[in-house]
Amino acid sequence: MYFKKILLAIVLLGLVVAAYFAYFVYNAMLKPNTAFNNERAYIYIPTNSTYDDVREQLKPLLKDIDMFDALAKRKQYVNNVKAGRYIIKKGMSNNDIINSIRSKNIPIKVSFNNQETIEKLAGRVSSQIEADSLSLVQAMFDESFLTKNKFNKATALGMYIPNSYEFFWNTSAEQFRDRMLKEYKHFWNDERIKKAEAIGLNPSQVITLASIVHEESKQADEQPRIAGVYINRLKVGMPLQADPTIKFAAYQLPKYKNTVIRRVLNVHKEIDSPYNTYKYAGLPPGLITMPDVSAIDAVLNYEKHSYYYFAADATKLGYHKFAKTLSQHNVNARAYQRYLSSEGINK
């Protein structure tokens, strides 16, 4: 009888222990532990973060951070923190959260277009991934990388084709740059390469011309015609005489910093710069802005015509009037100059 009582006590104790263990497992692993009202929350874990860094981000999102700590130690997450962007859904248990932040790095869409310089592109990208703008600029201007891939500082911006791309948030500056090189090579497929060769230009030259076309007109339906004018000029050795290149050259000078040139004047055309296409024939050394893909394809698929001139159309703003002769062009140009004067635009 005494032995049976001892055995019963052991069984009861075992049940209590099992119940406590089950209770602990439920609370530590299976019980919902989120404290936010939205359907989901994101945490961003920087490279080389410690568990304490992660804990600081999680603390306001969880009801019981101590119970989370206990499971994180048991599952050895505290010594295996991984950088990235992670999602925590409302009602997740500690076990679900740990599984998520350990192995489910969520990609993001990195988007950019119309960036005027490498520095501005770096600023735009750094607002979307972990890499800061300084490290991005350094990677993008790395001389060995540029030389190896047949770029230079004047053409480097042309390697970045505007679009939306999928990246992990913790992408480094070098990883971003190298991925964009792959995208550039993918963009310049055999079809585009052949079209460039047919007009006697390489990809960097096409993008340089496209940047001028882009600055002349944002109208995709007009860009091939404008590209055709410049191709015609290049073929006969005529200077491009592109006003956007004059503005670009001017903005490099201290005198024109923090100014907006709305009207190109003769004084601007006297600026001595390789980007001054009134003074120097052929293409400038590099692109003057990041062109849209529509402008790049407009150059590759330029409209074949006999126009050598164009001037902004005061009756249809955003578009241009085209001319085959200088005399007709002068008529069109004077009409637009009169419009600028009537609007009080004198510089």
Side-chain angles (χ1 to χ4, degrees), residues 47-66:
T47 301
N48 298 322
S49 291
T50 65
Y51 177 71
D52 286 341
D53 297 325
V54 178
R55 190 180 190 276
E56 283 302 306
Q57 288 198 59
L58 288 174
K59 192 172 181 179
L61 302 176
L62 305 185
K63 294 177 179 177
D64 189 341
I65 189 65
D66 294 328

Side-chain angles (χ1 to χ4, degrees), residues 160-200:
Y160 301 88
I161 306 298
N163 208 332
S164 292
Y165 302 93
E166 195 170 84
F167 281 92
F168 287 116
W169 174 77
N170 55 307
T171 297
S172 70
E174 291 77 13
Q175 288 171 334
F176 174 80
R177 177 202 63 195
D178 294 348
R179 162 73 182 284
M180 294 315 301
L181 176 62
K182 291 180 181 179
E183 296 293 343
Y184 174 85
K185 291 179 177 179
H186 177 74
F187 177 83
W188 283 102
N189 54 32
D190 289 342
E191 181 182 2
R192 285 193 172 100
I193 291 289
K194 288 177 181 177
K195 287 180 177 179
E197 291 174 346
I199 55 179

Side-chain angles (χ1 to χ4, degrees), residues 17 19 25 58 78-79 88 100 204 220 233 268 284 292 304 322:
V17 171
V25 169
L58 288 174
V78 293
N79 297 316
I88 300 175
S100 178
S204 283
R233 291 184 177 186
H268 300 133
D292 286 340
K304 295 177 175 62
F322 294 81

Side-chain angles (χ1 to χ4, degrees), residues 279-296:
K279 276 184 173 289
Y280 299 98
L283 292 168
L287 60 168
I288 59 175
T289 192
M290 176 185 288
D292 286 340
V293 171
S294 66
I296 299 172

Side-chain angles (χ1 to χ4, degrees), residues 151-296:
F151 292 98
N152 56 50
K153 287 190 174 182
T155 62
L157 184 63
M159 195 189 86
Y160 301 88
I161 306 298
N163 208 332
S164 292
Y165 302 93
E166 195 170 84
F167 281 92
F168 287 116
W169 174 77
N170 55 307
T171 297
S172 70
E174 291 77 13
Q175 288 171 334
F176 174 80
R177 177 202 63 195
D178 294 348
R179 162 73 182 284
M180 294 315 301
L181 176 62
K182 291 180 181 179
E183 296 293 343
Y184 174 85
K185 291 179 177 179
H186 177 74
F187 177 83
W188 283 102
N189 54 32
D190 289 342
E191 181 182 2
R192 285 193 172 100
I193 291 289
K194 288 177 181 177
K195 287 180 177 179
E197 291 174 346
I199 55 179
L201 301 176
N202 61 39
S204 283
Q205 291 171 324
V206 169
I207 292 179
T208 293
L209 182 53
S211 72
I212 299 173
V213 172
H214 173 89
E215 286 296 278
E216 291 283 16
S217 177
K218 303 301 188 294
Q219 311 299 331
D221 59 334
E222 188 186 56
Q223 287 175 340
R225 179 166 290 190
I226 289 178
V229 170
Y230 287 130
I231 295 294
N232 287 345
R233 291 184 177 186
L234 288 172
K235 285 180 178 179
V236 300
M238 179 180 174
L240 295 182
Q241 297 184 332
D243 285 358
T245 67
I246 297 294
K247 293 181 180 180
F248 180 86
Y251 291 145
Q252 310 311 305
L253 303 176
K255 179 180 178 180
Y256 295 101
K257 288 289 184 182
N258 302 317
T259 65
V260 177
I261 299 173
R262 301 179 65 191
R263 186 171 183 172
V264 172
L265 305 174
N266 288 332
V267 66
H268 300 133
K269 296 176 183 178
E270 294 303 316
I271 294 172
D272 190 15
S273 166
Y275 287 89
N276 184 340
T277 56
Y278 279 82
K279 276 184 173 289
Y280 299 98
L283 292 168
L287 60 168
I288 59 175
T289 192
M290 176 185 288
D292 286 340
V293 171
S294 66
I296 299 172

